[in-house]
């Protein structure tokens, strides 16, 4: 899992009341409101793309998190320092009930990167009379390294170090996004396919429905954050899913999923139970090939042209 | 054929049903015939069912095996069902999601039929799964008996290998189960509490709990034995008291299941990501082989009935994704040495958590602490 996504899951975990994991955002009623959404900051050129935006309806406050590796972009830091609730509302990142209120931008980075990033943020803060915060983390704790978190409750909590047991680090809230590899996407996709093949009333299945939910089974799709995704990331994910299912169909499920048109498939319903039995071995075969570094079946993964040439 | 002289075909209304079933309630169950004690009547049995189906789907689901006949009665919520041995069953579907099936057929016939109905070929139908906490916190009268059950046969557990070895030495296919029963004992309530809190904390999974309830208006009583699988066996003199107990059990179970679905299922609602995972901690358990345990959890077989895949994710953690074979709904989670974390998705039926909890109690460790204990202890 990409480090940015791992961090997003960790912070979403803090909005829940889960034993073994800090619940500092939960205590103030924060919930995830948007992921990787482009936000324009009034009066400044360019745009921000925070990892995640959280909103507390009870406090009418937002927390915006940005995951960093080592270097600090000053223009980006300016935008975070000047970001307002109005900017988030304008970018459609908050629920309709949100109005003008407090906003807390927070930089996060792994502890080893903090040695470089911390001084860079301190320099920025000194230079521009700002107070942007940096929270560093490792596999045992989250800790405020520098700056002030505007939300005082969060500032106090992170200042005093949040300890946790690494085994409780949550990973299933947003297990993948548009930048994840097909390998990471596959288990969730197979789960969705399995649910669709299991349901007797499902006839046609499209890539969009696999990603965002099929009405017949009231599912919200194999991408848990799909509702929060917009624009290019959304299109990218659907594209990856389309190719993956086509490849699964070609190698494992062609007797159970008929090709319909680009990006959609017809279920051969009478054989759905056998198709279900096929899904598991299919995944195992895929993982085995991945471990051994050999192509998955005769057609390399993601090679749509090869699928077409193979006469499908 | 059920041991009863009353013809089930004559039941057309609630009053008929009451008369029909009350005769079993009031019967003498044993008689001495030819110098031997023989059973001459059967107890009333009521089976609480969870039907995750569209409103019109309940009767459609019943119009298939294991029932040979499905007949409407004069009431639009009451069906008469008949199995291959001509035993009568009555489906009370006033609550479409949580219907109840009554019968006076012998348990040897009725149990397999209801088992096939709820775990067989009818997707969407499952029976109730009462976790020990939910069952023991009900107040249905005076506690007069209980049964414990524990069989640690799930792969990956520290003790499972020793149990399997013992089974092999005894020439059995399954490890012997721990069973302890107390029946018709006035101090059963206190004993239950003491045993669950002390010596048997890790083995005291409630298989059944029995209450005696008086009905002042009728000057009657009912003795209801409530099993963890939603079967309620009754004898006594008050049908009303039995019905009141069934309604109380159904209401608390429905509230717990609905609470899980509404408060914990992960979903986008009103522009925000709602719900939260459910943490299940088993302080007395030690899962030695996470891979074996997780694979068994998602093998698609009883008792868990979850079908999916598991993979190691981090040191000491296995992740799994799967579907609940009761509904086809998705769920996912993480397994650690002594705990699980479960993520219900937006459509996931809450019954899957109840099934998981009961089976963890029965097959892993009966002491299960969850982040939804409040919901189990006080569902309403």
């Amino acid at each position: 899992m990409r480090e940015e996504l791992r961090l997003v899951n960790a912070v979403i975990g803090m909005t829940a009341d889960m034993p073994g994991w800090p619940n500092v955002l939960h205590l103030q009623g924060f919930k995830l409101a948007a992921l990787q959404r482009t936000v324009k900051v009034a009066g400044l050129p360019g745009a921000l793309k925070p990892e995640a935006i959280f909103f507390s309806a009870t406090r009418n406050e937002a927390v915006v998190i940005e995951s960093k590796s080592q270097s600090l972009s000053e223009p980006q830091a300016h935008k975070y320092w000047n970001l307002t609730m109005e900017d988030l509302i304008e970018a459609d990142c908050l629920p309709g009930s949100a109005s003008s209120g407090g906003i807390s931008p927070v930089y996060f980075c792994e502890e080893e990167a903090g040695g470089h990033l911390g001084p860079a943020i301190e320099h920025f803060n000194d230079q521009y009379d700002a107070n942007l915060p940096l929270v560093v983390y490792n596999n045992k704790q989250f800790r405020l390294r520098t700056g002030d978190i505007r939300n005082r409750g969060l500032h106090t909590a992170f200042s005093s170090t949040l300890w946790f047991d690494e085994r409780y680090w949550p990973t299933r809230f947003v297990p993948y996004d548009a930048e994840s590899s097909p390998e990471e996407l596959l288990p969730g996709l197979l789960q969705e396919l399995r649910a669709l093949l299991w349901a007797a009333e499902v006839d046609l299945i499209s890539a969009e429905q696999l990603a965002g939910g099929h009405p017949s089974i009231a599912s919200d799709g194999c991408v848990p954050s799909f509702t929060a995704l917009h624009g290019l990331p959304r299109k990218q994910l659907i594209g990856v899913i389309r190719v993956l299912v086509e490849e699964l169909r070609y190698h494992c499920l062609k007797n159970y999923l008929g090709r319909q048109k680009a990006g959609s498939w017809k279920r051969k319903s009478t054989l759905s139970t056998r198709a279900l039995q096929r899904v598991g071995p299919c995944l195992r075969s895929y993982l085995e090939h991945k471990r051994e570094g050999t192509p998955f079946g005769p057609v390399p993964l993601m090679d749509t042209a090869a699928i077409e040439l193979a006469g499908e | 054929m059920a041991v009863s002289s009353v013809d089930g075909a004559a039941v057309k209304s609630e009053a008929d049903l009451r008369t029909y079933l009350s005769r079993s309630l009031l019967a003498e169950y044993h008689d001495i015939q030819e110098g031997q004690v023989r059973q001459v009547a059967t107890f009333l049995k009521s089976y609480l069912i969870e039907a995750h189906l569209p409103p019109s789907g309940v009767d459609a689901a019943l119009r298939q095996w294991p029932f040979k006949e499905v007949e409407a009665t004069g009431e639009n919520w009451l069906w008469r069902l008949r199995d291959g041995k001509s035993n009568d069953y009555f489906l009370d579907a006033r609550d479409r999601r949580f219907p109840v099936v009554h019968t006076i057929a012998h348990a040897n016939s009725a149990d397999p039929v209801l088992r096939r109905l709820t775990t067989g070929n009818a997707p969407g139908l499952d029976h109730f799964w009462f976790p020990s906490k939910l069952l023991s916190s009900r107040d249905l009268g005076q506690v007069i008996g209980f049964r414990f059950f524990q069989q640690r046969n799930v792969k990956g557990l520290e003790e499972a290998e020793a149990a399997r070895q013992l089974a092999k030495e005894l020439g059995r296919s399954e490890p012997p189960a721990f069973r302890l029963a107390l029946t018709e004992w006035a101090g059963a309530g206190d004993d239950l509490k003491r045993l669950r809190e002390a010596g048997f904390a890790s083995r005291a999974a409630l298989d059944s709990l029995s209450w005696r309830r008086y009905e002042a208006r009728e000057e009657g009583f009912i003795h209801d034995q409530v099993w963890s699988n939603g079967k309620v066996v009754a004898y006594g003199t008050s049908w009303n008291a039995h019905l009141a107990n069934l309604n109380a059990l159904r209401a608390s179970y429905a509230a717990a299941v609905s609470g899980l679905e509404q408060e914990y299922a992960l979903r986008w609602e009103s522009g925000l990501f709602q719900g939260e995972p459910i943490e299940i901690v088993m302080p007395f358990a030690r899962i030695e082989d996470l891979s074996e345990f997780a694979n068994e959890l998602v093998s698609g077989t009883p008792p868990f009935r979850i079908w999916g895949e598991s993979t190691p994710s981090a040191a000491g953690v296995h992740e799994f994704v799967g579907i609940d074979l009761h509904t086809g709904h998705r769920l996912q989670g993480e397994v650690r040495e002594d705990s699980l974390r479960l993520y219900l998705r937006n459509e996931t039926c809450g019954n899957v958590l109840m099934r998981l909890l009961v089976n963890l109690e029965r097959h892993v460790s009966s002491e299960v602490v969850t982040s939804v204990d409040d919901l189990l202890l006080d569902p309403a």
Side-chain angles (χ1 to χ4, degrees), chain A residues 4-301:
Chain A
E4 292 88 341
L5 212 48
R6 197 166 164 266
L7 172 72
V8 165
N9 278 282
V11 184
I12 297 174
M14 294 178 193
T15 68
D17 193 14
M18 298 192 296
W21 195 250
N23 63 351
V24 289
L25 274 85
H26 166 81
L27 293 175
Q28 298 193 50
F30 282 102
K31 296 276 182 195
L32 176 67
L35 284 167
Q36 297 176 335
R37 194 79 63 84
T38 303
V39 181
K40 295 275 291 173
V41 180
L44 293 173
L48 291 170
K49 199 173 176 186
E51 246 62 64
I53 298 168
F54 299 88
F55 177 69
S56 167
T58 51
R59 301 175 64 91
N60 195 42
E61 274 189 41
V63 171
V64 180
I65 68 164
E66 172 74 30
S67 171
K68 299 298 288 180
S69 48
Q70 288 203 348
S71 58
L72 179 75
S73 154
E74 279 202 5
Q76 186 200 55
H78 272 296
K79 286 195 270 287
Y80 273 117
W81 182 244
N82 291 291
L83 183 66
T84 64
M85 286 283 270
E86 285 74 15
D87 297 327
L88 297 182
I89 292 167
E90 185 70 22
D92 201 20
C93 295
L94 299 179
S97 58
S99 58
S100 190
I103 182 167
S104 299
V106 187
Y107 279 117
F108 282 82
C109 78
E110 288 184 272
E111 192 169 46
E112 52 267 37
H116 297 278
L117 198 58
I121 290 180
E122 280 163 16
H123 178 70
F124 174 87
N125 286 343
D126 288 345
Q127 203 174 355
Y128 297 102
D129 194 23
N131 218 349
L132 277 173
L134 172 68
V135 170
V136 295
Y137 63 91
N138 55 29
N139 284 334
K140 288 178 181 161
Q141 56 169 251
F142 286 89
R143 178 174 55 84
L144 184 65
R145 166 81 163 68
T146 189
D148 276 348
I149 300 176
R150 290 179 194 150
N151 178 300
R152 297 320 293 168
L154 293 182
H155 181 84
T156 307
F158 281 103
S159 296
S160 58
T161 304
L162 293 174
W163 294 93
F164 59 87
D165 180 339
E166 186 192 0
R167 295 177 307 142
Y168 289 84
W169 191 299
T171 55
R172 304 300 315 174
F173 288 111
V174 188
Y176 35 75
D177 63 7
E179 291 174 45
S180 300
S181 67
E183 293 86 343
E184 288 174 301
L185 197 74
L186 198 61
L189 177 60
L190 285 172
Q191 181 191 35
E192 192 73 19
L193 264 177
R194 204 174 229 152
L196 287 165
L197 290 169
W198 177 252
E201 63 271 28
V202 173
D203 186 15
L204 286 171
I205 302 168
S206 73
E208 285 80 0
Q209 288 166 337
L210 280 162
H214 196 291
S216 297
I217 59 168
S219 146
D220 60 355
C222 69
V223 184
S225 54
F226 195 70
T227 311
L229 291 176
H230 289 76
L232 193 59
R234 192 180 175 105
K235 283 182 188 161
Q236 274 176 338
L237 258 174
I238 292 174
V240 172
I241 286 168
R242 184 173 295 158
V243 177
L244 259 177
V245 178
E246 187 55 43
E247 192 159 333
L248 286 169
R249 189 196 68 80
Y250 177 71
H251 290 302
C252 309
L253 302 171
K254 61 183 160 193
N255 290 332
Y256 317 111
L257 276 181
R259 193 169 202 192
Q260 193 70 3
K261 53 181 182 176
S264 72
W265 303 271
K266 186 169 176 57
R267 195 183 72 149
K268 298 178 179 177
S269 58
T270 52
L271 297 169
S272 63
T273 308
R274 282 164 62 187
L276 279 170
Q277 288 164 351
R278 201 78 184 86
V279 171
C282 186
L283 173 65
R284 278 191 288 279
S285 163
Y286 175 80
L287 294 173
E288 202 172 301
H289 281 89
K290 185 177 161 242
R291 265 195 305 275
E292 291 169 2
T294 54
F296 181 48
V299 181
L301 187 69

Side-chain angles (χ1 to χ4, degrees), chain B residues 88-145:
Chain B
D88 285 319
Y89 301 80
F90 292 91
L91 173 77
D92 173 348
R94 274 177 281 204
D95 186 324
R96 292 276 170 169
R97 172 114 193 243
F98 301 103
V100 58
V101 173
H102 305 285
T103 186
I104 54 172
H106 196 281
N108 288 348
S109 298
D111 284 358
V113 164
L114 268 294
R115 199 177 308 125
R116 283 200 293 273
L117 181 71
T118 52
T119 59
N121 288 355
L125 293 178
D126 198 353
H127 51 74
F128 277 30
W129 294 88
F130 286 117
S132 297
K133 275 183 185 147
L134 195 152
L135 198 53
S136 61
S137 56
R138 299 307 91 211
D139 180 11
L140 305 181
Q142 181 190 7
V143 174
I144 58 163

Side-chain angles (χ1 to χ4, degrees), chain B residues 176-289:
Chain B
F178 166 79
R179 288 189 172 88
L180 191 145
L182 194 62
T183 55
E184 297 184 334
W185 172 247
D190 290 338
D191 287 347
L192 172 67
K193 201 175 170 195
R194 271 197 289 271
L195 288 172
R196 276 182 57 76
E197 282 173 0
F200 293 104
S202 67
R203 284 173 285 166
L206 268 178
D207 204 17
S208 77
L209 191 50
S210 302
W211 284 273
R212 188 177 177 89
R213 176 176 179 145
Y214 295 92
E215 177 62 49
R217 282 174 300 170
E218 294 177 338
E219 292 185 345
F221 76 96
I222 196 74
H223 174 160
D224 274 328
Q225 183 183 18
V226 184
W227 292 76
S228 63
N229 64 0
K231 174 184 169 185
V232 184
V233 181
Y235 74 82
T237 56
S238 172
W239 163 254
N240 284 341
H242 176 63
L243 212 54
N245 280 348
L246 288 179
N247 286 337
L249 287 164
R250 177 161 50 192
S252 48
Y253 193 83
V257 168
S258 308
L260 290 170
E261 292 164 356
Q262 286 159 20
E263 292 172 37
Y264 291 89
L266 300 180
R267 68 214 180 270
W268 284 90
E269 199 174 278
S270 309
L272 296 171
F273 193 59
Q274 311 279 359
E276 48 187 67
I278 296 160
E279 200 74 31
I280 302 166
V281 182
M282 296 170 288
F284 294 105
R286 202 170 95 75
I287 301 168
E288 204 167 42
D289 189 327

Side-chain angles (χ1 to χ4, degrees), chain B residues 142-186:
Chain B
Q142 181 190 7
V143 174
I144 58 163
F146 56 83
R147 297 170 71 98
F148 290 154
F149 176 90
Q150 169 83 185
Q151 189 176 38
R152 294 187 188 181
N153 53 355
V154 176
K155 287 177 185 164
L157 292 180
E158 190 178 37
E159 297 172 10
E161 190 46 46
R164 270 198 293 274
Q165 186 60 36
L166 177 60
K168 198 175 166 187
E169 286 167 14
L170 294 171
R172 297 185 189 178
S173 58
E174 285 286 314
F178 166 79
R179 288 189 172 88
L180 191 145
L182 194 62
T183 55
E184 297 184 334
W185 172 247

